[in-house]
Amino acid sequence: MDALLSDIRGCRICRDRPTGRTPLPHEPRPVLRVSASATVCIVGQAPGTRVHASGVPFTDPSGDRLRDWMGIDSDTFYDESRVAIVPMGFCFPGLDAKGGDLPPRRECPPAWRAPLMAQLPRIRLMLAVGAYAQAWHLGPLVRKSLTETVAAWRDIATATDPIVVPLPHPSWRNNAWLKRNPWFETDLLPFLRDRVGRELRGD
């Protein structure tokens, strides 16, 4: 694990050998937190500007909301011996013309996903946050839209091992989505909090 993490943190593929896109316009800073003992894995999109600056994932309002969804505090969330945080893209991809984050870089998953997940043998619960994480980790179980995929969480959780729970991104940009889909809070979140608690307790 230590050797693999050293290789990931030293990775410069997106800057030096980009795949079908312009090179990363800034110095890469891979951000992830893993341990072979972790039983819960959060798969997000890619670091934003704040995380790029801090080097710590989810140090923003989205992180506050995600921790609330999971029903855990910051100390538990950042205990990498229990919770792995493995975004689809390890580095901040830059901003688009409207000031939004670009999609995760394409170079990360083919280079690092399989060897890294092989080093996480105790993962029993995975949170697939956003469409990119869901596409990679759910494959044919993905529906036509993110809403349909998240709405199918019961079928997906039953069909996956480790259990995968699809989630929307906890960004404020999804406030309207949350209002349109009240079942997310009333049905999915109680299940999520129960499963997170059970896995962290080792039940």
Side-chain angles (χ1 to χ4, degrees):
M1 175 72 84
D2 289 345
L4 178 60
L5 287 177
S6 179
D7 288 344
I8 290 172
R9 290 181 173 130
C11 179
R12 298 297 182 268
I13 296 173
C14 58
R15 186 192 66 184
D16 300 339
R17 302 189 305 279
T19 302
R21 291 169 64 179
T22 57
L24 193 71
H26 51 262
E27 180 65 17
R29 188 181 191 183
V31 176
L32 69 161
R33 297 175 68 89
V34 294
S35 168
S37 62
T39 57
V40 176
C41 182
I42 300 167
V43 182
Q45 180 165 289
T49 52
R50 292 189 186 185
V51 173
H52 179 66
S54 70
V56 181
F58 290 104
T59 49
D60 54 23
S62 293
D64 294 336
R65 174 175 272 175
L66 180 58
R67 287 183 280 275
D68 178 66
W69 286 355
M70 297 172 69
I72 59 176
D73 59 20
S74 291
D75 289 343
T76 304
F77 185 83
Y78 288 116
D79 181 355
E80 62 187 33
S81 70
R82 304 165 76 193
V83 178
I85 303 175
V86 187
M88 292 305 299
F90 296 134
C91 294
F92 170 52
L95 300 175
D96 61 24
K98 296 182 180 179
D101 291 352
L102 289 168
R105 297 290 306 197
R106 298 175 184 171
E107 295 86 355
C108 277
W112 302 116
R113 205 95 203 138
L116 185 57
M117 297 310 296
Q119 294 292 322
L120 300 172
R122 298 189 62 192
I123 298 299
R124 294 184 50 79
L125 176 65
M126 180 178 293
L127 280 55
V129 183
Y132 294 99
Q134 291 159 18
W136 184 272
H137 285 282
L138 292 177
L141 294 176
V142 170
R143 285 16 182 207
K144 293 180 180 180
S145 69
L146 181 141
T147 298
E148 292 179 52
T149 299
V150 178
W153 62 271
R154 290 184 182 87
D155 292 339
I156 289 170
T158 301
T160 50
D161 184 16
I163 293 170
V164 179
V165 179
L167 300 173
H169 196 280
S171 167
W172 63 268
R173 292 183 175 87
N174 279 331
N175 285 351
W177 187 95
L178 294 170
K179 289 181 180 179
R180 289 195 305 271
N181 297 280
W183 52 264
F184 177 80
E185 183 171 351
T186 59
D187 299 340
L188 191 156
L189 288 188
F191 170 84
L192 176 65
R193 289 167 181 154
D194 178 67
R195 290 304 313 188
V196 168
R198 289 169 62 181
E199 298 305 339
L200 294 179
R201 290 191 304 268
D203 291 355

